[in-house]
Amino acid sequence: MLKGSVIMLGDMIKKRREQIGMSQDELAQKVGYKSRSSINKIELNKQDLTQSQVTKIANALNVPVGYLLGDKIETPKSTNALSIDEQSLIEKYRQLKEDGKEMVNMVLNREFQFLEYRRKMESIKNND
């Protein structure tokens, strides 16, 4: 993964791809490669990339180019900013079929209802 103390581009691509549950085949398709073997070579740091190729890969992985280059990127302080884990969950959700999405929605709605119930009970307890 490291050559000296430098984080290699291919390692960052692989790390992000795995974080969001994307296969090499899926990434290859999104960026216009014919097969996953090109992605494999990139992840093994055996293939150089042009700036436009890095940009395409960053877009497919839903990260800024700087993230792949190992830059320390601060998360915006906005409450609307998504963490990498949240982005990963959204990417996985988008890949589900309708029945899978319905199940996820049901679980989230029930969990949220339970959270509201606990808050309400805590509020009542604190007012006593």
Side-chain angles (χ1 to χ4, degrees):
M1 179 175 194
L2 298 175
K3 284 190 178 177
S5 63
V6 177
I7 297 174
M8 301 300 291
L9 176 62
D11 300 316
M12 294 301 291
I13 291 170
K14 181 177 181 177
K15 176 182 172 185
R16 176 61 181 157
R17 180 183 59 74
E18 290 177 343
Q19 280 178 334
I20 62 173
M22 184 183 292
S23 70
Q24 287 181 336
D25 286 317
E26 290 170 313
L27 181 55
Q29 183 180 13
K30 284 187 173 204
V31 296
Y33 290 111
K34 293 180 182 174
S35 71
R36 70 177 185 86
S37 65
S38 295
I39 300 300
N40 188 49
K41 288 176 189 172
I42 291 167
E43 290 180 354
L44 293 172
N45 299 299
K46 293 183 176 182
Q47 182 172 324
D48 292 331
L49 296 171
T50 65
Q51 184 176 357
S52 65
Q53 289 170 316
V54 174
T55 301
K56 283 181 185 179
I57 291 172
N59 289 339
L61 296 174
N62 198 25
V63 292
V65 170
Y67 172 86
L68 296 179
L69 299 176
D71 292 346
K72 300 278 187 210
I73 297 172
E74 289 188 32
T75 305
K77 302 299 180 204
S78 166
T79 57
N80 293 333
L82 297 176
S83 70
I84 290 178
D85 288 338
E86 291 167 330
Q87 292 173 14
S88 174
L89 289 171
I90 291 169
E91 186 69 30
K92 289 176 184 176
Y93 179 85
R94 288 177 177 164
Q95 294 175 24
L96 294 174
K97 294 181 180 178
E98 275 310 305
D99 58 336
K101 288 180 181 179
E102 287 175 18
M103 184 174 289
V104 169
N105 292 340
M106 183 182 74
V107 170
L108 284 173
N109 286 332
R110 288 190 184 202
E111 183 63 24
F112 189 73
Q113 288 171 349
F114 183 65
L115 176 64
E116 287 180 326
Y117 171 77
R118 287 192 332 219
R119 286 180 179 161
K120 189 175 189 178
M121 296 309 291
E122 189 66 29
S123 175
I124 292 169
K125 180 181 174 185
N126 290 335
N127 288 331
D128 286 345

